[in-house]
Structure formats: C-alpha cells, structure tokens
Amino acid sequence: MEPNAILQGITTDNLLLSIEGIIEKKLSERLGLIEDKDCKLLTRIETGKLLHVSLPTLNEWTKNGQIVSHRHGKRIYYKSEDIDNAIIKREFVRSFND
C-alpha cells in the first residue's frame, strides 16, 4: 500500500509552479546551460563570422583553450559572453597563415 501525502497551506497552482521550477532547474543543470537572457548561444559558423576567422582557425583556438565551446549532442556552440571575454582578454591571436 502506497503512503498518502496530505498537503496543507499550498494551492494546487503554487504546487505546480514549484514543481515546474524544480524541473526547469534540473534540466538546465543537466544540459549545462545557464539561464541568462543576455547570453546567446552561437553556432560555429556564426562565431567564425563574428570573429572574422575561418572554421579551422576557430577549431584550433577551441582546441588550444583560447575560446570555450559547449557541446549539445553532436553540435558545438559558443556563448556570446565567452566570446566577449576572450576578446577582452585577447586570449587568441590570428595567425598569418589563415
């Protein structure tokens, strides 16, 4: 026999909102995404165009740790704030061979 729970002092709507908030938080943590409305995820192509570099150069910078990428399944994304931080720190230098 399953135990029954009696909830007092909470409406059904508030209970549903609480459950929804917990689920959203756990999903965000699981996917490794940060709930930041100013932070935009950019594709490799968008990031390359923004930085005026080729995809091989962007790949090299990513492998060297000069710019941070984030995987979602098989796709690679770059956070706009990570790109801004890399530009501010000038963590990468474009090689003349590109």
Side-chain angles (χ1 to χ4, degrees), residues 5-80:
I6 299 174
L7 300 174
Q8 294 180 347
I10 188 167
T11 65
T12 305
D13 290 337
N14 286 342
L15 178 62
L16 290 174
L17 285 174
S18 295
I19 293 170
E20 185 178 290
I22 292 168
I23 291 172
E24 284 180 16
K25 180 181 174 188
K26 291 297 181 183
L27 284 175
S28 295
E29 290 171 1
R30 184 74 174 161
L31 295 175
L33 301 176
I34 299 173
E35 297 251 350
D36 184 0
K37 297 187 191 307
D38 294 334
C39 182
K40 180 180 177 187
L41 293 176
L42 302 171
T43 63
R44 292 178 66 235
I45 293 172
E46 292 170 331
T47 304
K49 285 181 181 178
L50 179 68
L51 296 173
H52 301 285
V53 297
S54 65
L55 293 181
T57 299
L58 184 60
N59 186 44
E60 181 181 326
W61 289 350
T62 303
K63 285 183 177 181
N64 292 337
Q66 295 167 314
I67 189 166
V68 179
S69 68
H70 303 274
R71 286 194 173 267
H72 191 283
K74 292 184 178 182
R75 298 180 186 264
I76 297 174
Y77 294 99
Y78 296 88
K79 290 183 182 178
S80 58

